[in-house]
Amino acid sequence: MTPPETPPDTEPADHRYAWPSADVGDDPHRWVRRTVFGLLLIGAAAFVVFAFSHAPSNEQAPTHDPAVVREVPLPGSHILHQAQIGAYLQQGYDGRLTVNGVAIPETDMDGAIPVTSREYDPKLGPRPNNRNEVLFTPGKGKVIETYGTGDVTLTLRYWNIARGQRSARTLSWHFTVN
């Protein structure tokens, strides 16, 4: 086994084998660089804190009516051309949707049983089991096949089933289609 190498004796002008020195002594810009670097780090940390504190949230903003459990999408959201829209209501409520002034028929809503199906019961209507889920997804053969790009206004008209449609209230919100 050979002992570890020791640095060779060299002439002072020969820097090929010189060990780094901790003494930087004559560098007049050392503190300027350190200060600028430190300020850049502080600025980057401040930007990260700012970005996270102002990032959009997926939390549901409370509506003024407890009958509305959740709006889909959230007001101010950005969605795709074929995204599902609507609202989830408390049990015992039903509703209808209007998209930019176009009323969505109940038969076009998500979960609707086609009138031509053997499961359809005219007494119960096309949505007998999911009345509190007032949702719509555009598609071929529906009143809206795809959303246009831009701002969309969604209006929800909802009511307590026991009280009937005469007790209906409305809620509107906006989102953007990309």
Side-chain angles (χ1 to χ4, degrees):
M1 193 144 114
T2 60
E5 285 189 28
T6 58
D9 293 328
T10 61
E11 295 292 321
D14 186 6
H15 296 287
R16 290 181 296 166
Y17 299 105
W19 292 95
S21 171
D23 181 24
V24 286
D26 293 338
D27 185 4
H29 303 291
R30 176 178 57 165
W31 290 107
V32 173
R33 280 195 300 270
R34 287 184 179 178
T35 303
V36 170
F37 185 70
L39 290 174
L40 286 173
L41 284 176
I42 291 170
F47 175 75
V48 168
V49 169
F50 174 80
F52 276 104
S53 67
H54 288 81
S57 172
N58 287 334
E59 295 177 10
Q60 174 69 32
T63 58
H64 298 300
D65 193 336
V68 180
V69 175
R70 185 167 51 121
E71 299 156 352
V72 179
L74 294 174
S77 295
H78 291 262
I79 66 168
L80 299 176
H81 292 272
Q82 296 293 325
Q84 184 181 58
I85 61 170
Y88 291 92
L89 305 173
Q90 292 287 344
Q91 289 292 330
Y93 282 83
D94 193 0
R96 299 295 179 273
L97 299 171
T98 304
V99 179
N100 287 341
V102 177
I104 305 298
E106 187 177 17
T107 54
D108 281 0
M109 293 173 62
D110 293 355
I113 300 171
V115 179
T116 57
S117 172
R118 289 188 309 154
E119 297 174 13
Y120 179 77
D121 184 352
K123 295 176 189 172
L124 298 175
R127 295 175 33 246
N129 298 323
N130 65 341
R131 293 193 179 279
N132 64 312
E133 295 177 7
V134 185
L135 303 169
F136 172 74
T137 305
K140 188 171 178 135
K142 293 186 177 182
V143 68
I144 297 176
E145 293 189 354
T146 185
Y147 307 120
T149 302
D151 292 334
V152 175
T153 301
L154 178 61
T155 303
L156 167 68
R157 185 172 171 267
Y158 61 102
W159 60 90
N160 184 308
I161 295 172
R163 292 186 190 151
Q165 289 191 34
R166 289 192 323 248
S167 66
R169 298 179 295 251
T170 60
L171 176 68
S172 294
W173 65 96
H174 304 278
F175 53 90
T176 303
V177 177
N178 293 331

